[in-house]
Amino acid sequence: EIEIAGYAPPLVPLAVLAQVVIETPHFDPQSQRFSATLAVLADGTPSQRLRLAGRAVQTVPVVVATRRLATGEVVQPSDARLTRLRAERVRPGVAERLDQVLGQQLRRPLATELPFHTADLSAPHLVQRNGAVIMVLEAPGLALTAQGRALEAAPLGAVVPVMNLASRTVVEAEVVGPGRVRVAMGAVPVARR
């Protein structure tokens, strides 16, 4: 990002083909300040030279929310956009690519135009706490299902305690899909919390 104080662009008639040249550029990386002469050369008009000085500010890519998002929402493509912000204003852990954010679930609310922090994102929960689930027990030549209740919210692949509604037994099961868990053969009941 370039900051130029008091810059007024040179005026050139629209019908004239103009060439713009930067002369004697100088940049100081320590202070981030630059200076140069802008020369405008146009047919049939006197050449114009304008002294420029300013500051170059480093920017970084950042993913920001396009609307207010609540805890638990899964980020959709219309909910996020990539922009650039000044590096000194960006804290560590901010998402820099859309693929870090899209399809993820928010752990805390986020206001419009604020950046997504990767620590505030997680895989979406496919089972909800106290939500109904189908418990599946599979063995060679055998498949059993039962109604259950997840005792915790969990994403795909996570292990979650589930209560069998018929026996009231709590076992650990792996989340295999929305509202669906797989109980391991020989699963041992776990102590209730």
Side-chain angles (χ1 to χ4, degrees):
E1 188 175 297
I2 304 293
E3 295 175 345
I4 303 174
Y7 174 69
L11 299 175
V12 178
L14 288 176
V16 175
L17 181 62
Q19 181 180 14
V20 179
V21 179
I22 301 290
E23 298 174 341
T24 62
H26 174 72
F27 178 69
D28 178 11
Q30 194 74 7
S31 66
Q32 302 290 307
R33 296 197 119 0
F34 69 90
S35 63
T37 301
L38 179 68
V40 180
L41 312 171
D43 293 336
T45 63
S47 61
Q48 300 178 50
R49 284 190 162 60
L50 179 65
R51 187 74 180 151
L52 300 176
R55 195 174 95 146
V57 180
Q58 182 183 0
T59 62
V60 292
V62 174
V63 181
V64 296
T66 59
R67 66 177 182 89
R68 183 166 177 73
L69 298 167
T71 301
E73 280 193 70
V74 176
V75 182
Q76 303 299 319
S78 61
D79 297 334
R81 71 178 174 85
L82 190 61
T83 188
R84 294 191 75 83
L85 295 177
R86 290 182 176 197
E88 73 259 9
R89 293 183 182 167
V90 177
R91 294 190 344 219
V94 170
E96 297 177 354
R97 298 182 327 270
L98 285 169
D99 64 351
Q100 292 176 291
V101 171
L102 298 180
Q104 297 294 304
Q105 188 169 25
L106 286 170
R107 292 182 173 155
R108 50 185 272 197
L110 187 63
T112 306
E113 294 302 314
L114 286 183
F116 288 89
H117 290 267
T118 54
D120 295 336
L121 299 166
S122 65
H125 293 160
L126 296 183
V127 298
Q128 303 304 318
R129 182 177 179 179
N130 293 323
V133 294
I134 301 293
M135 301 171 65
V136 179
L137 176 69
E138 296 174 327
L142 175 69
L144 300 172
T145 62
Q147 294 289 322
R149 181 169 50 98
L151 301 181
E152 295 175 8
L156 181 67
V159 175
V160 62
V162 178
M163 178 188 290
N164 181 321
L165 295 180
S167 68
R168 310 302 270 179
T169 303
V170 177
V171 294
E172 288 188 336
E174 178 188 1
V175 178
V176 294
R180 202 167 172 86
V181 297
R182 179 177 36 233
V183 179
M185 191 66 154
V188 178
V190 295
R192 285 179 135 170
R193 298 176 190 186

